[in-house]
Amino acid sequence: MSSDAISLPAHQFDSLEQQREVASLGMWVFLATEIMFFGGLFAAYTIYRVSYPLAFIAASRQLDVTLGTLNTAVLILSSLTMALAVRGAQQGKRAPMLAFLPLTMILGAVFLGVKAFEYHHKWVEHLVPGAGFLLPGADARHAQMFFCLYFAMTGLHALHMIIGLGILTVMLAMAWRGRFTSTYHNPMEVSGLYWHFVDIVWIFLFPLLYLVGRHG
Amino acid sequence: MTTATEQAGETPRTHYLNVNYGIRSWLLTTDHKRIGILYLISVTLFFALGGVMAVLIRLELATPQGDLFQADQYNRLFTMHGILMIFFFLIPSIPAVLGNFLVPIMIGARDLAFPRLNLLSWYIFNIGGLFTFWALLHGGVDTGWTFYTPYSSTYSGTHVIAVALGIFIAGFSSILTGLNFVVTIHRMRAPGLTWFRLPLFIWSMYATSLIFILGTPVLAVTLLLLGAERLFHIGIFDPAIGGDPLLFQHLFWFYSHPAVYIMVLPAMGVVSEIIPAFARKKIFGYRFIAYASVALAVLGFLVWGHHMFVAGQSIYAATVFSVLSMLVAVPSAVKVFNWTATLYKGSISWETPMLYVLGFIGLFTMGGLTGVMLATLGIDLHVHDTYFIVAHFHYIMVGGAIMGYLGGLHYWWPKITGKLYPKVWSRIAAVVVFIGFNVTFFPQFILGYLGMPRRYHSYPPEFQVLNVMSSAGATILGVGYVIPLIYFFWSMRYGKDAASNPWGAVGLEWETTSPPPTDNFETTPVVTSEPYHYTRPAEAPGVL
Amino acid sequence: MSVHVVPVRTYLLVFAALLLLTATTTSVAFVDLGPFNNFAALGIAGVKAALVVLYFMHVRYGTRITPLVLAASAFWLLLLIGLSLADYATRGWLGVPGK
Amino acid sequence: MFPQAPLFPEKAATIAWQIDHLFLFALGGSVFFSLLIAGLIVYLGIRYRRRHPEEVGEALDDESAGARALELAWSVIPLVILMFMFVWGAKVYFYAARPPADAVQFYVVGKQWMWKIQHPEGNREINELHVPIGIPIKLTMTSEDVIHSFFIPAFRIKADVLPGRYTTLWFKADKVGRFHLFCSQYCGAEHSRMGGWVTVMEPHDYQAWLAGAGQAVLASGEELFSAKGCNTCHRPDTASRGPLLAGLFGRKVRLTDGRTLVADEGYIRESIMLPAAKVVAGYQPIMPTFKDQLSEDDLIQLIKYVKGLKAPEAASGIAAPAARQRASARGGTR
Ligand code: HEA
Ligand code: HEA
Ligand code: CUA
Ligand SMILES: [Cu+2]
């Protein structure tokens, strides 16, 4: 399609400006639903953590802080590159997008790789809840609860990352074809919001899952 | 009456229904009005399905022995009845049908903010429905619509996962609809249409959307966890690893209590439109009604624990939830009183929509007041999980919300289809529904206080008389619902053409033609006055 | 209102701050602060989230409605957690099982 | 023809009239407001019926002081009534939640789809509950599978019965007769048949019933305590590896994680089933779980036994034997 076709607002809007605001508000409202979606899990986590503090400490110690910290850094870096890609889009420059979008995706993939490695480890160490669960020491039953939550929370987070990678692939294709201009780049903005949100979820998951009772 | 006077002699005007034809033009439409009609078809089918199950339930309960169905068949019946009626009929009914049609028109916009997303919502809704329907054909599900664990996670042998998935998927359609409405209402109002010039229907849609957005995701994740627990035989509600079945209830009701306001707020919005239209005067206490909608949406999130008063929740938490439930009755009371006050010194015509709306006020009041009884801790001790609850919520949902929905359909039908339905029949139907409803559900209050538990396939013989009454009433009620179905269909073909403003009502939707053009208005309207501006007779075109 | 292009320098500063905070939160976790460990962990996470929201997600430069959406969802999340905790925290106060 | 068709339930317990009063008050209020609204609608609808098609209603000024006062009135008056209802309802509810100290302890186990009941005297019955009149009775209840709910309409009370936890219900019957017992929480296929009868008897009839009914005898708690090896650790000598259980019930216990709680049935149950969940301060979590070795019935016997162990030196607080001193690490000894 030619580029002037896209620089007209869609028929329900009066202006591109309105269209842009609508897109961004739409994404923010969607993120509000996402907060509540993860919120159910955070609530469950809080309740069980308060109920079984010792088991949670014992179980949390089984996680690998180094990998967790590394992954946090990777994800933060990917947020930076994403922000820079969006910045390119805002200026209507193709080159930064073509550089930073793939970079962001690679970092996302690294994160998922590390996560997969951790999952594998948990499997080998018999820390996956179920019949094979084996945690030496106290209160193995409630420790399973921790791991149920761990897998549910990080699993859903990973799913969001995978969806994010899909979205970024589309963005990359659009950027490649020069679809974005300094007046029209809503899809990039909105995808950026989504990616940063996924980052924020991790920012909370990391201390809650990895850093419980490391001291003492 | 108002026939084609306006269009006399001209070539047929193009409007959204006749711009193009063919199944593709409907299935791929992004026009909010057509999508509204698509939803109308979907939810009507689900209502009929749920209604048939209700009839079977009442048939079984006409005798105490439990001789028509096996116990497990009966359990599937009421479960599927509840699930279909709540998630696939009542929740989407007014928002997705009337809301879709009216929100853009009432705010003077050409369409919703995200038209394609809107179409997607409809598809998502039907995919969710198909999952549920599949499960229904393969034996259904028998957990009760509330899916309490550990029965649902471990003990039930039915298709819990498929149905949970169906509801999960349909939930996204709610979320997306809510998102669309919020963004549209915030960003696409016509020039001059300030927040306090919005019709109250828009306020109630806005409040409903808030609940869609903030509540539905919690249900989604809860159902996901339930499905996972069933699949992997271990999960966070599992008592074997210290999981608490009550946590499931907390999470479930965190959504499902606010969801009852999803069901009633839109109906309240309809009432707030219809009363001024048929009393031909400005609504009394506009701001209070508007604020009350938002207050209900917010307070509605604080009371979920009143479903768990005898569930093993701490009594202190129960006390907090009880007092908060009492508070939620205040905005409802404010609305009821303001509607009633609006009638004072009005010019009231007893048209069909008005009949439904007056029925709504009365039945909602009864349902709501019995809700207050339930919120009273001491009373709930006795009536929890009895037919008193069944009567309470049918009073609000069937007597209230469905009356509101039917009133709205009758009110906007000329706008939606451009056709008029027969007045006499529609009035008869409204009266039959009202009578049938009360005969069906009033005896259930008595049964409940007598102690008949709900979800009972068989019951002690001394409860039979009241149950037979209830079953007889359900038959009347069923007839009352079938009559509109017939004459609505009839009117689409044989009904007289409706004028732009058949009721002489005020509101942007009555300023455009019936049915409206695809872009809703020839030119973007500019709003200069308060809503329900009925004072000067000149403004109400005397088309009646 | 036109698009606000944030200077690269700002992004880099925010990024550095985020890394620093990550390092802080991890190391603080190994020091015993009693109950303050939890506050520190959540507090730092909150600050990090705020940085991302304000700068990477441009809330600082955007319309008024965005913070409102955020505040509303945070508030609702607290309602969910707070009111359900109200149950768990007070179970057993009476000393009668199940009340 | 039809058997008798009552419109109001029988009353057979002291709390029933309290709940009925509350209910009738609420009912009166509801009827009043329903009639008020319905009456107003009908009256106004007729009084202000549209006379001719062009007629328009008279807009009222809803910003005026009078209108404001009206809005205030119809918010505040319901609020006052609601708060009154709340307080009254809460009082009844708290009354129902607190069993009197002298209540006789019965145990109830629900399972799909029957109720198993144990009398303090050791008698057992299924789907039947025989109780003496005029004596407060406390039911401690649990479930072997899903959630059930123990509901006696004539007593106006119910409580859910949960797997893995105890819940409580108490009543004082005040009328002799046979009354329905229902399971009111949906629990699967035969939910509607999971019920039976509560028989309220004069005390001497009850005694006769107790003596007469040939009940299956359970392994006693004391036997289980040694059969399951509890006494190898919980013993009053230096070989003791666990805390002494005498006098435990109702006492404050401090846990390794710093929390303190009161030892009730739920706690003792958890200590046996999931010992590592709450470890007594000063002890190692070495107690094995008995999760898969004890039936709910056994468990109840054991708990009854542990509850019955009275502290030997309860009043004086004289220095205890070695094990006792270790146990004093747990704070809050009484
Ligand atoms: C549309 C649906 C809808 C609506 C709007 C409501 C509204 C209310 N509901 Fe209801 N409710 C349900 C649907 C609904 N409910 C369903 C489906 C269930 C059962 C779920 C299940 O278990 O399957 C249920 C169950 C339920 C329970 C749990 C009972 C139990 O299981 O033990 C409780 C307890 O507090 C309750 C309370 C209330 C209250 C206080 C209101 C209030 O919002 C009502 C407020 C309205 C009024 C008060 C009337 C108007 C006011 C006046 C005319 C003024 C005069 C008023 C006074 C002086 C007070 N409801
Ligand atoms: C919106 C919600 C809604 C609606 C509209 C209804 C409508 C009705 N409901 Fe139901 N009901 C629930 C929501 C609803 N219900 C819920 C949530 C439960 C709890 C479930 C649970 O416990 O899990 C419940 C439970 C419930 C029970 C209790 C079951 C039990 O606990 O054992 C009963 C019993 O009488 C009942 C009866 C009825 C009746 C007679 C109607 C009538 O109003 C229905 C009238 C409609 C018709 C008669 C159909 C009309 C016919 C057509 C539209 C044409 C059809 C025809 C063709 C085949 C072409 N319902
Ligand atoms: Cu047991 Cu219902
Ligand atoms: Cu509720």
Side-chain angles (χ1 to χ4, degrees):
Chain A
M1 271 218 272
S2 67
S3 63
D4 50 46
I6 14 177
S7 52
L8 283 177
H11 95 285
Q12 71 272 30
F13 299 114
D14 296 328
S15 66
L16 272 176
E17 181 63 27
Q18 189 190 24
Q19 180 165 359
R20 208 177 67 81
E21 283 184 2
V22 160
S24 136
L25 180 59
M27 193 58 187
W28 276 104
V29 172
F30 179 72
L31 294 184
T33 76
E34 288 277 30
I35 290 178
M36 293 310 288
F37 185 78
F38 280 100
L41 287 168
F42 279 107
Y45 173 90
T46 315
I47 282 159
Y48 286 134
R49 164 120 180 239
V50 170
S51 304
Y52 311 120
L54 292 181
F56 269 49
I57 289 175
S60 163
R61 291 212 177 129
Q62 304 299 313
L63 299 182
D64 189 330
V65 188
T66 322
L67 288 182
T69 315
L70 173 74
N71 248 355
T72 311
V74 168
L75 214 51
I76 290 177
L77 183 57
S78 85
S79 254
L80 173 69
T81 55
M82 187 71 219
L84 293 173
V86 173
R87 188 173 184 275
Q90 289 173 332
Q91 295 173 320
K93 289 186 192 153
R94 199 160 151 252
M97 281 191 273
L98 295 188
F100 286 119
L101 276 177
L103 195 55
T104 311
M105 292 167 67
I106 290 170
L107 289 167
V110 169
F111 177 91
L112 286 173
V114 174
K115 201 78 237 158
F117 177 76
E118 284 188 78
Y119 278 6
H120 175 72
H121 244 243
K122 295 289 155 303
W123 176 257
V124 174
E125 291 169 355
H126 295 282
L127 289 175
V128 177
F133 187 84
L134 209 70
L135 180 63
D139 206 2
R141 276 173 203 278
H142 295 157
Q144 287 192 73
M145 177 62 72
F146 176 88
F147 278 100
C148 279
L149 285 164
Y150 167 80
F151 281 106
M153 294 169 107
T154 57
L156 276 181
H157 178 260
L159 185 69
H160 278 77
M161 295 280 300
I162 294 170
I163 295 172
L165 287 181
I167 296 174
L168 292 195
T169 314
V170 177
M171 288 307 115
L172 187 59
M174 287 173 81
W176 180 263
R177 292 196 205 143
R179 286 287 195 82
F180 302 125
T181 65
S182 59
T183 47
Y184 177 79
H185 49 263
N186 298 341
M188 274 297 283
E189 288 252 21
V190 164
S191 315
L193 291 181
Y194 179 84
W195 191 263
H196 297 307
F197 168 77
V198 178
D199 183 14
I200 290 179
V201 172
W202 181 258
I203 285 179
F204 282 98
L205 287 182
F206 170 60
L208 289 180
L209 295 175
Y210 287 78
L211 302 181
V212 187
R214 283 288 162 184
H215 54 84
Chain B
M1 278 286 312
T2 58
T3 34
T5 37
E6 308 174 355
Q7 296 137 26
E10 292 169 27
T11 50
R13 188 175 56 83
T14 36
H15 49 71
Y16 83 103
L17 289 172
N18 67 6
V19 274
N20 43 28
Y21 294 97
I23 197 89
R24 271 176 65 92
S25 77
W26 282 87
L27 292 184
L28 297 179
T29 183
T30 53
D31 182 341
H32 65 102
K33 299 182 284 303
R34 286 192 166 200
I35 295 173
I37 289 185
L38 291 177
Y39 268 114
L40 177 63
I41 297 168
S42 301
V43 301
T44 308
L45 290 176
F46 285 121
F47 174 68
L49 214 54
V52 168
M53 291 178 178
V55 170
L56 296 178
I57 292 176
R58 284 314 328 165
L59 224 52
E60 168 67 81
L61 294 179
T63 57
Q65 299 86 0
D67 38 15
L68 184 59
F69 299 104
Q70 299 295 312
D72 63 317
Q73 289 172 322
Y74 178 81
N75 296 340
R76 290 161 212 236
L77 275 179
F78 70 70
T79 303
M80 296 306 289
H81 165 71
I83 289 174
L84 288 173
M85 285 298 198
I86 293 216
F87 294 112
F88 294 97
F89 167 65
L90 198 52
I91 286 182
S93 63
I94 298 184
V97 178
L98 298 175
N100 242 324
F101 192 92
L102 291 167
V103 166
I105 302 186
M106 281 186 164
I107 66 170
R110 285 185 287 275
D111 205 323
L112 286 173
F114 307 109
R116 272 179 295 173
L117 201 64
N118 196 18
L119 181 65
L120 182 67
S121 310
W122 181 72
Y123 277 102
I124 292 178
F125 175 72
N126 285 303
I127 293 171
L130 280 180
F131 266 92
T132 311
F133 194 67
W134 177 88
L136 182 70
L137 293 182
H138 290 75
V141 62
D142 71 346
T143 58
W145 81 280
T146 47
F147 290 104
Y148 275 15
T149 56
Y151 184 72
S152 61
S153 60
T154 316
Y155 290 84
S156 169
T158 51
H159 293 285
V160 179
I161 294 187
V163 175
L165 202 64
I167 297 172
F168 177 85
I169 295 172
F172 278 95
S173 122
S174 297
I175 293 177
L176 295 179
T177 303
L179 186 154
N180 227 332
F181 284 176
V182 164
V183 176
T184 306
I185 296 171
H186 264 286
R187 286 281 182 254
M188 304 188 56
R189 281 167 289 145
L193 192 52
T194 56
W195 281 92
F196 288 106
R197 285 179 180 174
L198 286 173
L200 286 167
F201 182 74
I202 298 292
W203 274 96
S204 74
M205 278 299 133
Y206 186 79
T208 308
S209 303
L210 283 185
I211 306 176
F212 274 147
I213 290 167
L214 294 164
T216 318
V218 177
L219 177 74
V221 77
T222 310
L223 291 175
L224 211 60
L225 289 169
L226 169 63
E229 180 156 342
R230 229 182 130 76
L231 205 60
F232 301 123
H233 304 293
I234 192 159
I236 69 163
F237 308 121
D238 186 354
I241 60 167
D244 183 4
L246 262 68
L247 178 63
F248 175 85
Q249 299 177 19
H250 276 299
L251 292 175
F252 180 83
W253 290 116
F254 178 82
Y255 164 77
S256 292
H257 181 82
V260 311
Y261 297 106
I262 291 182
M263 299 181 245
V264 87
L265 271 170
M268 291 171 155
V270 169
V271 172
S272 306
E273 292 303 310
I274 292 181
I275 290 202
F278 293 93
R280 289 261 174 85
K281 63 179 289 225
K282 188 171 158 250
I283 196 153
F284 190 77
Y286 171 91
R287 278 181 188 243
F288 289 93
I289 298 181
Y291 287 139
S293 293
V294 179
L296 278 178
V298 176
L299 287 175
F301 276 96
L302 307 178
V303 306
W304 76 80
H306 67 208
H307 295 272
M308 302 161 61
F309 285 160
V310 302
Q313 172 179 229
S314 114
I315 54 170
Y316 304 98
T319 311
V320 172
F321 282 121
S322 170
V323 73
L324 290 168
S325 305
M326 296 292 174
L327 291 186
V328 99
V330 173
S332 308
V334 166
K335 289 196 175 212
V336 169
F337 288 123
N338 275 301
W339 292 325
T340 313
T342 305
L343 298 177
Y344 179 67
K345 292 197 173 172
S347 157
I348 297 162
S349 74
W350 294 72
E351 297 283 352
T352 315
M354 191 65 165
L355 289 183
Y356 278 111
V357 160
L358 298 182
F360 171 97
I361 300 180
L363 299 179
F364 170 74
T365 300
M366 285 180 72
L369 288 167
T370 51
V372 168
M373 291 186 180
L374 300 177
T376 307
L377 289 158
I379 299 178
D380 194 57
L381 224 43
H382 176 50
V383 296
H384 172 73
D385 268 340
T386 66
Y387 264 80
F388 199 90
I389 312 292
V390 177
H392 155 67
F393 65 73
H394 283 92
Y395 257 78
I396 295 197
M397 300 201 296
V398 183
I402 295 191
M403 287 266 185
Y405 175 59
L406 286 176
L409 269 186
H410 283 86
Y411 181 52
W412 283 294
W413 188 258
K415 181 59 59 182
I416 295 174
T417 61
K419 298 288 182 181
L420 297 173
Y421 49 82
K423 280 193 173 187
V424 177
W425 278 107
S426 63
R427 282 188 178 146
I428 292 176
V431 174
V432 173
V433 167
F434 185 81
I435 294 173
F437 172 80
N438 283 294
V439 178
T440 311
F441 293 108
F442 193 81
Q444 296 187 359
F445 280 126
I446 305 173
L447 277 173
Y449 203 74
L450 280 173
M452 177 167 162
R454 60 191 283 204
R455 298 169 171 171
Y456 259 31
H457 162 242
S458 58
Y459 55 85
E462 67 260 32
F463 298 145
Q464 187 176 12
V465 176
L466 291 164
N467 268 298
V468 169
M469 265 175 82
S470 180
S471 297
T475 323
I476 307 175
L477 183 56
V479 172
Y481 285 141
V482 174
I483 306 173
L485 206 65
I486 297 174
Y487 63 68
F488 275 149
F489 268 115
W490 178 90
S491 79
M492 285 196 277
R493 210 185 151 91
Y494 305 105
K496 290 193 207 141
D497 284 342
S500 306
N501 190 356
W503 311 114
V506 171
L508 282 180
E509 79 269 31
W510 304 111
E511 284 173 22
T512 182
T513 46
S514 302
T518 300
D519 273 350
N520 296 342
F521 300 95
E522 306 298 332
T523 53
T524 305
V526 177
V527 180
T528 53
S529 67
E530 307 289 298
Y532 317 115
H533 202 65
Y534 280 96
T535 33
R536 270 157 290 140
E539 284 203 359
V543 280
L544 251 177
Chain C
M1 191 200 66
S2 65
V3 189
H4 184 102
V5 180
V6 183
V8 176
R9 220 177 82 87
T10 313
Y11 281 147
L12 288 176
L13 279 176
V14 170
F15 172 67
L18 287 173
L19 281 189
L20 198 71
L21 286 169
T22 306
T24 320
T25 192
T26 309
S27 33
V28 163
F30 286 90
V31 186
D32 190 354
L33 302 174
F36 288 101
N37 276 101
N38 291 332
F39 291 118
L42 285 177
I44 294 178
V47 174
K48 284 164 75 179
L51 284 176
V52 175
V53 164
L54 288 176
Y55 292 95
F56 286 173
M57 297 168 93
H58 303 157
V59 166
R60 243 201 93 179
Y61 316 102
T63 47
R64 235 173 355 126
I65 182 89
T66 349
L68 210 66
V69 174
L70 265 171
S73 29
F75 175 69
W76 252 263
L77 182 56
L78 287 183
L79 282 184
L80 169 60
I81 296 179
L83 274 173
S84 29
L85 261 186
D87 174 13
Y88 291 85
T90 56
R91 282 195 196 164
W93 274 13
L94 192 66
V96 178
K99 296 291 169 187
Chain D
M1 268 300 286
F2 297 120
Q4 106 265 34
L7 292 179
F8 203 79
E10 278 183 281
K11 265 195 281 289
T14 48
I15 192 170
W17 69 264
Q18 294 197 31
I19 290 177
D20 280 351
H21 269 206
L22 181 60
F23 174 75
L24 290 175
F25 175 81
L27 187 66
S30 300
V31 169
F32 171 78
F33 276 101
S34 302
L35 289 183
L36 178 76
I37 298 290
L40 276 175
I41 289 176
V42 172
Y43 168 74
L44 294 172
I46 293 170
R47 167 73 179 75
Y48 297 105
R49 211 176 67 239
R50 190 174 298 168
R51 311 274 163 195
H52 48 87
E54 300 289 314
E55 191 181 72
V56 167
E58 182 185 328
L60 302 169
D61 178 11
D62 57 4
E63 304 279 300
S64 69
R68 282 283 154 81
L70 210 54
E71 298 281 357
L72 199 67
W74 62 46
S75 315
V76 172
I77 293 172
L79 186 64
V80 171
I81 301 175
L82 287 164
M83 286 305 116
F84 180 72
M85 291 286 301
F86 159 69
V87 172
W88 188 355
K91 268 176 94 164
V92 174
Y93 184 74
F94 271 70
Y95 175 76
R98 284 204 200 97
D102 59 345
V104 179
Q105 173 84 65
F106 284 49
Y107 288 94
V108 175
V109 177
K111 62 172 282 201
Q112 284 175 329
W113 288 276
M114 60 161 88
W115 294 108
K116 297 189 287 185
I117 290 154
Q118 281 184 34
H119 289 249
E121 295 81 3
N123 299 49
R124 296 213 296 161
E125 36 184 347
I126 286 179
N127 291 344
E128 292 274 347
L129 171 59
H130 287 77
V131 291
I133 193 171
I135 294 174
I137 286 167
K138 174 176 149 193
L139 308 177
T140 298
M141 311 185 293
T142 190
S143 161
E144 287 184 2
D145 36 49
V146 302
I147 305 178
H148 305 275
S149 191
F150 199 84
F151 177 32
I152 309 162
F155 296 174
R156 310 279 190 279
I157 46 164
K158 68 165 67 69
D160 279 10
V161 176
L162 303 160
R165 256 183 86 188
Y166 285 116
T167 52
T168 311
L169 200 61
W170 84 271
F171 57 81
K172 186 155 107 186
D174 63 1
K175 184 172 163 192
V176 171
R178 265 165 86 69
F179 308 101
H180 280 297
L181 160 64
F182 291 127
C183 171
S184 63
Q185 178 62 269
Y186 176 68
C187 55
E190 297 297 333
H191 161 62
S192 65
R193 299 215 163 80
M194 180 171 169
W197 295 93
V198 176
T199 311
V200 180
M201 312 167 100
E202 293 294 347
H204 56 272
D205 291 339
Y206 178 67
Q207 289 307 330
W209 176 84
L210 276 182
Q215 319 300 335
V217 179
L218 279 176
S220 79
E222 190 167 3
E223 284 159 20
L224 282 167
F225 200 73
S226 52
K228 298 290 173 187
C230 316
N231 58 357
T232 56
C233 298
H234 297 283
R235 51 197 291 175
D237 56 29
T238 42
S240 168
R241 292 191 283 159
L244 201 68
L245 301 180
L248 168 65
F249 187 75
R251 186 166 63 199
K252 272 206 182 122
V253 179
R254 200 157 62 84
L255 305 180
T256 14
D257 56 12
R259 289 181 295 171
T260 46
L261 42 75
V262 176
D264 58 7
E265 286 95 344
Y267 169 72
I268 298 180
R269 174 201 175 83
E270 196 180 14
S271 296
I272 301 173
M273 303 296 261
L274 305 168
K278 300 202 173 88
V279 180
V280 182
Y283 288 90
Q284 291 304 310
I286 51 165
M287 174 166 160
T289 166
F290 288 85
K291 173 108 188 138
D292 306 317
Q293 302 179 29
L294 295 169
S295 69
E296 288 291 349
D297 291 315
D298 289 345
L299 197 54
I300 284 170
Q301 293 302 325
L302 262 179
I303 293 173
K304 276 204 300 201
Y305 174 70
V306 172
K307 276 176 63 178
L309 293 171
K310 293 278 178 291
E313 76 297 19
S316 55
I318 298 167
R324 191 88 187 85
Q325 277 169 358
R326 228 177 336 145
S328 70
R330 63 169 78 143
T333 25
R334 214 180 12 168

